[in-house]
Amino acid sequence: GENVEQHPSTLSVQEGDSAVIKCTYSDSASNYFPWYKQELGKGPQLIIDIRSNVGEKKDQRIAVTLNKTAKHFSLHITETQPEDSAVYFCAASKGTGTASKLTFGTGTRLQVTL
Amino acid sequence: ETGVTQSPTHLIKTRGQQVTLRCSSQSGHNTVSWYQQALGQGPQFIFQYYREEENGRGNFPPRFSGLQFPNYSSELNVNALELDDSALYLCASSVGGGETDTQYFGPGTRLTVL
């Protein structure tokens, strides 16, 4: 089955700096890659996603890049703010129907310091 | 907020007991997926229900079972509880059967097994 690895496990940046989180996946059939932010005591919140027919997607301060050949994708957060502090999870799936289960990475705890 | 609700928010049970967790999907969604998230880990896929039928299952024993109702709400039942079942149980709803299968998570139910 699919295996998703995520690095780093913890990341500390100063407010205003950029943060980058990287994930690799094993199943070349995976074609959907969402990123979730999870705050303490809450469920994961979708922040951005990308499909395999796109190499990059941006939404304000957040961007995701996908390299299908290398089977890795990355989350980039620019101009970090204290409210960006949370645990971030990458995930992969094969898309729709019975294959749409998400396989998650192990998470990255991002701390934005003042 | 995603519009996905779960109940109860917290639950304490003892080994060997049975538990039922509930999830109401977001309006317009016909698919519910259940995940188990152990402390410090990423969510693990349990199973998915699409139009009241089980539509895929992860590596969980048969004592984990579920239902989906005509209004697309869902239940997760766990029999013969074990200490390792202590976790945050998440449900996610989506519009199944099409190209877009983005999953939106509820806040979760924290289960503690003593």
Side-chain angles (χ1 to χ4, degrees):
Chain A
E2 174 69 278
N3 182 51
V4 177
E5 294 189 358
Q6 183 172 348
H7 300 281
S9 56
T10 60
L11 180 59
S12 183
V13 300
Q14 286 197 318
E15 183 180 6
D17 287 350
S18 295
V20 180
I21 303 170
K22 298 181 179 182
C23 289
T24 60
Y25 61 99
S26 61
D27 190 342
S28 56
S30 290
N31 59 8
Y32 174 61
F33 307 93
W35 286 87
Y36 288 88
K37 174 184 180 182
Q38 188 173 27
E39 297 175 316
L40 196 62
K42 297 186 177 181
Q45 174 194 358
L46 179 73
I47 56 171
I48 195 166
D49 56 10
I50 192 167
R51 297 186 186 272
S52 59
N53 59 348
V54 175
E56 183 174 357
K57 184 176 178 180
K58 190 174 181 180
D59 183 4
Q60 299 182 345
R61 298 186 297 109
I62 295 173
V64 57
T65 58
L66 172 65
N67 184 327
K68 287 194 305 181
T69 302
K71 288 191 283 189
H72 69 67
F73 56 114
S74 300
L75 177 71
H76 304 251
I77 305 174
T78 59
E79 300 172 22
T80 53
Q81 301 167 2
E83 51 265 38
D84 293 330
S85 297
V87 179
Y88 291 80
F89 290 98
C90 62
S93 89
K94 297 179 186 178
T96 61
T98 57
S100 65
K101 69 171 187 177
L102 294 172
T103 300
F104 284 84
T106 50
T108 296
R109 182 173 300 280
L110 173 64
Q111 184 173 8
V112 180
T113 58
L114 296 174
Chain B
E1 297 298 324
T2 62
V4 180
T5 60
Q6 292 186 244
S7 63
T9 54
H10 296 87
L11 204 52
I12 299 174
K13 292 286 188 178
T14 56
R15 270 189 310 174
Q17 285 189 310
Q18 178 266 342
V19 69
T20 297
L21 311 181
R22 296 178 175 83
C23 171
S24 291
S25 59
Q26 187 170 316
S27 177
H29 288 185
N30 56 17
T31 301
V32 172
S33 304
W34 285 93
Y35 294 81
Q36 180 195 67
Q37 186 177 25
L39 202 60
Q41 302 293 319
Q44 298 287 319
F45 176 75
I46 303 175
F47 44 55
Q48 182 183 84
Y49 278 84
Y50 171 60
R51 293 185 176 178
E52 303 179 58
E53 297 286 333
E54 188 179 290
N55 190 43
R57 189 178 183 92
N59 190 26
F60 281 81
R63 58 190 187 83
F64 285 78
S65 63
L67 283 173
Q68 188 178 34
F69 300 99
N71 67 354
Y72 303 127
S73 66
S74 177
E75 285 183 355
L76 164 65
N77 299 290
V78 187
N79 293 323
L81 284 168
E82 301 178 358
L83 297 179
D84 284 350
D85 295 334
S86 294
L88 181 68
Y89 288 84
L90 297 160
C91 78
S93 78
S94 56
V95 179
E99 284 300 313
T100 300
D101 213 7
T102 303
Q103 297 187 22
Y104 298 92
F105 284 83
T109 294
R110 172 73 60 188
L111 173 65
T112 302
V113 182
L114 302 175

